[in-house]
Amino acid sequence: MSLSVAYLILAHGQPAQLGRLVARLNAPGVRCYLHIDARTDQATFDAIKAAMPATAAVTFIARRPCRWGGFSLVDATLDLVRAALKDGFDWAQLLSGADYPIKTTEHISAWLTRATAAGFIDLRAQDEFDVRYRWQAYFPEQLNGTRPGKVLQKLQRGLNRLGLRRSLPAPLTRVWAGSQWWCLSQSACKALIGFVDQHPQVPAFFRSTLVPDEMFVQTVLMATACGPELASHNLHQLRWQENAWSPAEFTAADVPQLIASPALFARKFSPDGDAAAALDAALNITHSV
């Protein structure tokens, strides 16, 4: 029996790029679950659905409006996990629409079959990635990037210096942070959802934090029994731009480096598909639609 992999994809546009990604992931035992931002217009959403390969197992879940830096991205991620758990899987891999596998599906399946960790996720403690300012003050998502939001942040900085800070809700005792993207076993996903359902005060707290998608899943999983069984890398290759909020795009010139990488996926790739096509050619992959 082949390994069952659920690919959970967060996206908001680029129909051709999403179609290319799903076609590349398509293999026995694979099902793709897509959340498309509700702010994406209907014509683009229809084009995304039309771009899906006919042979792929694809599920589109209910759409939420998502904002950068807000808990809406976590909500969409949890929705994807819940949808995949209904069907069952061995592993769930969270991807963005700009991600792409840098190994063959056979390699990925064999690698995950040998894996002994409960999951692979970027895990950083406070001394490595200090995100206290993101949760010790209030950051209402609807105010992100607005003038009132900036005024509120300035006021709170002063209050924080006076020692007035938010405290973590029980049963949490510390925050872990890292990249948003991860690969989790079914048992880890069940632990994540079980904790969220059992402790609704935790997601309620994180709803008014800044960029919770880079700390919520890490913090929750480390508070469960599977925490010690997690590997602290997320199987992704990326290259950060200097003084930028997002990683640089890979090009065809990067293909040898990507193939040599121990990672299974990389981000990010250009919508034009040139780098993805060069990678496929180097791996001798022909898409099946």
Side-chain angles (χ1 to χ4, degrees):
M1 188 166 125
S2 62
L3 189 76
S4 175
V5 181
Y7 287 103
L8 317 179
I9 303 172
L10 293 168
H12 55 84
Q14 304 299 343
Q17 185 175 28
L18 278 175
R20 187 183 310 116
L21 172 61
V22 172
R24 180 69 159 73
L25 297 171
N26 190 20
V30 166
R31 179 175 287 276
C32 294
Y33 299 81
L34 279 77
H35 177 273
I36 308 301
D37 192 335
R39 298 186 300 170
T40 298
D41 64 79
Q42 188 62 42
T44 301
F45 182 51
D46 291 341
I48 290 171
K49 290 190 289 186
M52 294 297 104
T55 60
V58 177
T59 298
F60 286 90
I61 70 166
R63 301 166 64 190
R64 293 177 180 266
C66 294
R67 297 182 183 89
W68 179 91
F71 198 82
S72 51
L73 287 168
V74 178
D75 275 329
T77 300
L78 295 176
D79 289 346
L80 286 167
V81 174
R82 291 182 190 276
L85 282 172
K86 288 181 181 178
D87 295 326
F89 55 83
D90 296 308
W91 289 92
Q93 172 68 56
L94 182 65
L95 299 172
S96 79
D99 289 1
Y100 206 69
I102 58 175
K103 300 293 186 289
T104 65
T105 54
E106 294 82 7
H107 178 105
I108 293 170
S109 180
W111 196 96
L112 290 174
T113 298
R114 297 191 300 269
T116 57
F120 300 88
I121 183 169
D122 186 18
L123 281 170
R124 302 191 214 179
Q126 186 173 297
D127 57 346
E128 298 177 271
F129 192 177
D130 192 349
V131 294
R132 283 177 295 183
Y133 73 98
R134 296 185 182 182
W135 61 266
Q136 288 185 344
Y138 287 93
F139 292 95
E141 178 171 342
Q142 64 271 25
L143 295 183
N144 282 358
T146 67
R147 183 175 180 82
K150 293 175 182 177
V151 171
L152 178 61
Q153 290 176 31
K154 186 175 181 179
L155 288 172
Q156 290 186 101
R157 280 197 292 269
L159 293 173
N160 286 352
R161 285 193 290 269
L162 295 174
L164 298 176
R165 304 183 182 94
R166 300 177 76 194
S167 299
L168 290 172
L172 299 182
T173 59
R174 65 184 301 187
V175 168
W176 293 80
S179 170
Q180 174 183 2
W181 315 105
W182 44 252
C183 181
L184 299 176
S185 65
Q186 180 176 238
S187 61
C189 286
K190 286 182 175 179
L192 170 65
I193 297 301
F195 187 99
V196 168
D197 290 346
Q198 186 177 356
H199 303 286
Q201 72 277 13
V202 172
F205 175 89
F206 277 94
R207 285 187 187 282
S208 53
T209 60
L210 183 64
V211 197
D213 49 303
E214 293 185 354
M215 54 183 170
F216 181 81
V217 174
Q218 284 91 340
T219 299
V220 167
L221 285 177
M222 288 300 286
T224 70
C226 75
E229 301 173 8
L230 297 171
S232 59
H233 57 88
N234 68 354
L235 312 182
H236 263 67
Q237 176 83 5
L238 55 82
R239 181 176 61 225
W240 284 101
Q241 307 176 79
E242 187 175 356
N243 300 319
W245 282 94
S246 61
E249 290 182 349
F250 288 108
T251 69
D254 297 310
V255 167
Q257 173 197 356
L258 291 173
I259 291 177
S261 168
L264 302 182
F265 304 90
R267 68 184 306 265
K268 57 187 185 173
F269 284 74
S270 170
D272 63 23
D274 290 348
L279 179 62
D280 287 350
L283 292 172
N284 194 28
I285 292 171
T286 301
H287 286 228
S288 173
V289 297

